């Protein structure tokens, strides 16, 4: 059985949802796993460590319909510092919106990157409502799919799964708006302020 390198590509890795998904994966996986969070300073170290792994699982969030820059920069370094034996790359991506299909473009970007750089492509799990679902009873739906992902990677299969909260878009929108308005209020920020560019400052 191979060994799986789990790479967290979230820009806020220590506090990220991706970290929780990575932990869920490690628990569900029959093979040995090792977790790394991508930072600005450890690209080379991760590239060197990759030699000892049969598989890499990229765990990251959707950012602006694409791959977060933290992961993008790492992939650039990896392209210049490829391991001698290229591992199979699988993906566990989560996004804030309800629809897991929002992640399609980011997954396509990674498929292309792997094709162009000679990495075999493995399996994919696309999670919608990724920051909300973990704190709801629907968490068990994610866990079931994460188990399938782990089994597919261990078996060397290429499959894709999608999972999200089984609620209507209207209900999701209402619940998430209520959540963010309340979140803003706790931090002294109104809904109107949140709708401006000044929120970035
Ligand atoms: C800068 C930024 C851009 C984002 N862009 C999208 C997006 O385009 N579509 C989406 O569904 N969620 C988007 N999200 C939501 C994240 O994908 C979501 O919060 C995710 O759970 C974060 O995962 P992490 O905690 O592992 O970083 C964005 C979040 C941030 C902070």
């Amino acid at each position: 059985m191979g060994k799986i390198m789990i790479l967290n590509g979230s820009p806020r890795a220590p506090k990220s949802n991706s970290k929780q998904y990575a932990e869920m994966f490690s628990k569900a996986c029959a093979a040995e796993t090792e977790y790394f969070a991508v930072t600005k300073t450890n690209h080379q170290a991760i590239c060197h460590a990759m030699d000892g792994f049969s598989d890499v699982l990229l765990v990251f969030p959707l950012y602006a319909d694409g791959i977060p820059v933290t992961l993008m920069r790492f992939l650039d370094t990896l392209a210049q510092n490829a391991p001698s034996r290229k591992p199979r790359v699988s993906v566990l991506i989560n996004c804030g919106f309800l629809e897991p299909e929002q992640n399609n473009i980011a997954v396509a970007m990674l498929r292309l990157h792997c094709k162009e750089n000679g990495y075999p492509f493995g399996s994919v799990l696309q999670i919608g409502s990724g920051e909300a679902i973990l704190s709801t009873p629907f968490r068990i739906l994610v866990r079931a799919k994460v188990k399938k992902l782990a089994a597919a990677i261990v078996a060397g299969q290429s499959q894709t799964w999608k999972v999200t909260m089984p609620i209507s878009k209207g209900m999701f929108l209402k619940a998430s708006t209520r959540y963010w308005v309340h979140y803003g209020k706790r931090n002294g920020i109104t809904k109107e302020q949140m709708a401006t560019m000044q929120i970035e400052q």
Side-chain angles (χ1 to χ4, degrees):
M1 199 180 289
K3 197 173 158 191
I4 304 169
M5 170 184 260
I6 302 176
L7 277 188
N8 184 346
S10 169
R12 48 186 215 115
K15 291 181 177 174
S16 62
N17 297 312
S18 298
K19 188 175 179 200
Q20 294 189 58
Y21 291 122
E23 283 166 1
M24 205 181 257
F25 181 89
S26 286
K27 281 188 193 144
C29 190
E32 188 182 343
T33 62
E34 197 171 337
Y35 174 85
F36 298 78
V38 177
T39 67
K40 279 183 187 152
T41 54
N42 68 357
H43 292 187
Q44 297 280 353
I46 294 176
C47 293
H48 289 133
M50 208 174 266
D51 259 326
F53 293 85
S54 59
D55 290 84
V56 170
L57 176 66
L58 300 175
V59 187
F60 63 97
L62 183 70
Y63 262 30
D65 288 334
I67 302 172
V69 73
T70 309
L71 183 57
M72 199 101 96
R73 295 246 161 87
F74 169 73
L75 292 174
D76 287 345
T77 309
L78 183 63
Q80 305 302 319
N81 298 271
S84 49
R85 198 170 49 101
K86 292 185 176 168
R88 190 162 4 95
V89 175
S90 294
V91 170
L92 193 170
I93 180 170
N94 91 90
C95 71
F97 291 154
L98 184 64
E99 308 85 7
E101 293 75 23
Q102 301 276 347
N103 298 305
N104 285 353
I105 293 170
V107 173
M109 289 163 82
L110 274 166
R111 270 186 202 278
L112 180 64
H113 181 90
C114 287
K115 194 174 167 195
E116 287 184 338
N117 290 279
Y119 290 81
F121 198 78
S123 289
V124 177
L125 174 57
Q126 299 184 193
I127 302 173
S129 64
E131 59 186 296
I133 198 166
L134 287 173
S135 55
T136 72
F138 301 128
R139 182 187 170 90
I140 56 165
L141 302 178
V142 181
R143 200 177 294 133
K145 289 290 192 305
V146 167
K147 271 188 191 164
K148 285 185 188 245
L149 175 70
I153 294 176
V154 170
Q157 296 166 353
S158 297
Q159 297 195 49
T160 296
W161 292 273
K162 293 179 181 165
V163 65
T164 190
M165 290 207 278
I167 61 173
S168 71
K169 287 186 189 187
M171 201 188 274
F172 181 77
L173 195 60
K174 258 191 213 154
S176 54
T177 304
R178 206 180 314 121
Y179 172 84
W180 284 111
V181 169
H182 183 69
Y183 195 94
K185 207 170 174 182
R186 267 193 287 144
N187 291 282
I189 296 170
T190 65
K191 190 179 173 189
E192 289 69 32
Q193 283 171 311
M194 280 194 269
T196 67
M197 290 307 282
Q198 277 69 44
I199 196 74
E200 297 286 335
Q201 283 151 23

